[in-house]
Amino acid sequence: MGSVALIMSKLEKNTFRISNRLFMFKHHRYPKAIILQAVYFKLRFTLSYRDVEELLEIRGVKVDHSTIQRWVFKFSPEIERNMHKRKYQVGNSWRMDETYVKVAGKDRYLYRAVDKEGTPLIFF
């Protein structure tokens, strides 16, 4: 009887954890897109919470900087987990090639990152 209760409690915890991820934007005043945009601004660019608040206000969204801080604390671990799932795995060795390419009669500088096997990773 004790082991059944233990298993049930573990199942309930796992169910809560999964449902927490699925419904983590539920019951928020702002839509998911605005929350993610605010968290993106804070994490991608080295801005203060008040700077992010000002950027959102320019876009017509009135939100307090302390709310943005709570969003960053709450949603950044989940965003990081998603990012690591999508991240392209690079081997231990990679090289950066750079060259000039003529495009429409003008010289353009081209960077290209390749891994050990010669697979292109980045072009810019």
Side-chain angles (χ1 to χ4, degrees):
M1 187 74 171
S3 62
V4 172
L6 180 65
I7 291 170
M8 289 303 289
S9 69
K10 285 186 179 182
L11 283 174
E12 288 172 4
K13 285 181 186 176
N14 287 339
T15 305
F16 174 73
R17 199 174 304 137
I18 292 168
S19 65
N20 191 14
R21 286 185 191 158
L22 294 176
F23 301 110
M24 65 188 318
F25 293 98
K26 196 171 184 178
H27 304 297
H28 283 276
R29 178 179 175 189
Y30 296 94
K32 176 182 175 180
I34 291 174
I35 295 171
L36 289 177
Q37 186 71 51
V39 174
Y40 172 78
F41 282 151
K42 177 61 181 156
L43 298 178
R44 173 63 177 90
F45 309 106
T46 54
L47 300 173
S48 69
Y49 292 111
R50 292 183 191 270
D51 290 340
V52 175
E53 176 185 6
E54 185 178 338
L55 283 172
L56 291 176
E57 192 171 346
I58 290 170
R59 288 166 173 77
V61 179
K62 181 71 175 138
V63 62
D64 191 50
H65 64 276
S66 60
T67 304
I68 296 169
Q69 181 184 25
R70 286 194 300 271
W71 289 346
V72 169
F73 289 161
K74 180 177 181 180
F75 296 114
S76 58
E78 187 65 29
I79 291 171
E80 184 179 11
R81 275 192 289 275
N82 271 340
M83 182 191 69
H84 283 297
K85 288 179 189 173
R86 298 178 188 175
K87 189 171 132 180
Y88 179 72
Q89 293 296 326
V90 178
N92 293 336
S93 176
W94 59 274
R95 302 285 185 261
M96 181 70 87
D97 293 334
E98 42 191 84
T99 186
Y100 283 101
V101 178
K102 225 177 240 286
V103 178
K106 295 181 181 178
D107 284 337
R108 304 286 183 191
Y109 204 62
L110 174 71
Y111 293 96
R112 182 177 75 139
V114 293
D115 65 1
K116 193 174 184 179
E117 287 80 31
T119 308
L121 302 174
I122 302 173
F123 285 99
F124 54 96

